[in-house]
Amino acid sequence: MSVLIYVDSENGKIKKAATEVASYGRKVANSLGTQLVALAVNVEDVAPLSAYGVDKVLQLNAPQLTQAAARPVVAALAQATAQEGSTVLLFGSGVNARTLAPMIAARLGAGYVSGVSSLPETTPDFSVKRSVFSGKGIAIERINTPVKILSLAHNAFPIETSPTTAMTVEVFAPTLPEAEYTVTNVERHSGKVALDDAEIIVSGGRGLKGAEHWGMIEALADVLGAATACSKPVADMGWRPHSEHVGQTGKPVAPNLYIAIGISGAIQHLAGVNASKVKLVINSDPEAPFFKSADYGVVGDAFEIVPKLTQLLKDRGSE
Ligand code: FAD
């Protein structure tokens, strides 16, 4: 028996979401009294995983997987599950995980719950909580199959270390099928910080009136080391790329700080950002719905406030 985690990575580097899964996985393994095993595909350095109490790493180095579709990775996951007798498979909240988790669930005939926001109850049944109705309710879901698969809600768990010096690393060489397609190139559209990994997000809405005003959003993001995001109409109008669109139909995000500028706070927008730890809203309309769910609100003209805020932060940074 074991708990198996999938180590999400980019360009050979372990992503923050993977450390969140490892930290969560350690707790699940403890509660089940079992080993924590990690499958790391094309990760250059797996040593950092020992900080989170991983007992064993299956290291799969297959250059052809870097640009391959999900099917070969799912095959590797299935073979790792069989080899390690894994009964719980854990994924983060990133795009890779959202692709792989349902595929491996279908392949293994396993119950799968996505967007999990609690540690599982493991006795008498295996059940977890997840947020539903755009964050307005919590569902408790029981998984009845022998293998259980979970993907975690974004940024929902503290990343806690539990260092071990006993971590073993095993070269893993499963039989891989041909990829059904290959990714030939990936171009980041914008933003120096990836939305998935961002601790802070500066997001703009239709209140900014046009693509030409995004310089002030980027300037504020730069000074904060933040990622940039936008509401749906902004992406629909082509002011910003769709990769920045957050919300119910966009990317769900949950940074430590979400700064919403000129965004009204429609339910569909809130659905994807409400899990942020702290929300700062800047809006000229005191009745804007976003203020109801904001931790901090500034009523005023973004075109006056944002440059001043950026300058203030720059001055503070250089003091
Ligand atoms: P607006 O609603 O036009 O709000 C602009 C805000 O800017 C206003 O509150 C205004 O007071 C403020 N403002 C104006 N001038 C200034 C100024 N100078 N300084 C400061 N503030 C100013 N939306 C999403 O964002 N994400 C989604 O995933 C999403 N999914 C959807 C799915 C469906 C099925 C549907 C029907 C809608 C979806 N929407 C989504 C759209 C959503 O309903 C709203 O229309 C949208 O979020 C509004 O975007 P906004 O806040 O940028 O624009």
Side-chain angles (χ1 to χ4, degrees), residues 89-223:
L89 272 62
L90 300 175
F91 295 84
S93 59
V95 176
N96 285 346
R98 277 186 280 149
T99 306
L100 295 171
M103 287 176 75
I104 184 69
R107 179 159 173 156
L108 300 177
Y112 166 46
V113 179
S114 64
V116 168
S117 58
S118 74
L119 282 164
E121 294 288 336
T122 52
T123 51
D125 299 308
F126 189 100
S127 62
V128 284
K129 291 181 185 163
R130 76 182 181 101
S131 166
V132 289
F133 303 129
S134 301
K136 294 206 172 346
I138 289 176
I140 298 171
E141 305 198 0
R142 189 179 69 206
I143 303 184
N144 302 320
T145 50
V147 175
K148 286 107 175 125
I149 301 183
L150 309 177
S151 67
L152 308 187
H154 188 56
N155 211 11
F157 300 94
I159 299 173
E160 288 169 14
T161 55
S162 42
T164 172
T165 51
M167 184 176 87
T168 58
V169 180
E170 181 181 307
V171 174
F172 186 55
T175 311
L176 299 175
E178 283 289 308
E180 64 278 30
Y181 64 86
T182 49
V183 180
T184 53
N185 191 21
V186 178
E187 283 174 21
R188 258 200 208 296
H189 277 300
S190 62
K192 293 178 186 153
V193 180
L195 265 181
D196 275 343
D197 290 336
E199 304 279 347
I200 304 175
I201 293 176
V202 180
S203 190
R206 198 149 47 180
L208 290 172
K209 321 236 186 297
E212 67 277 17
H213 297 130
W214 237 262
M216 69 180 189
I217 298 292
E218 285 169 339
L220 179 57
D222 266 359
V223 76

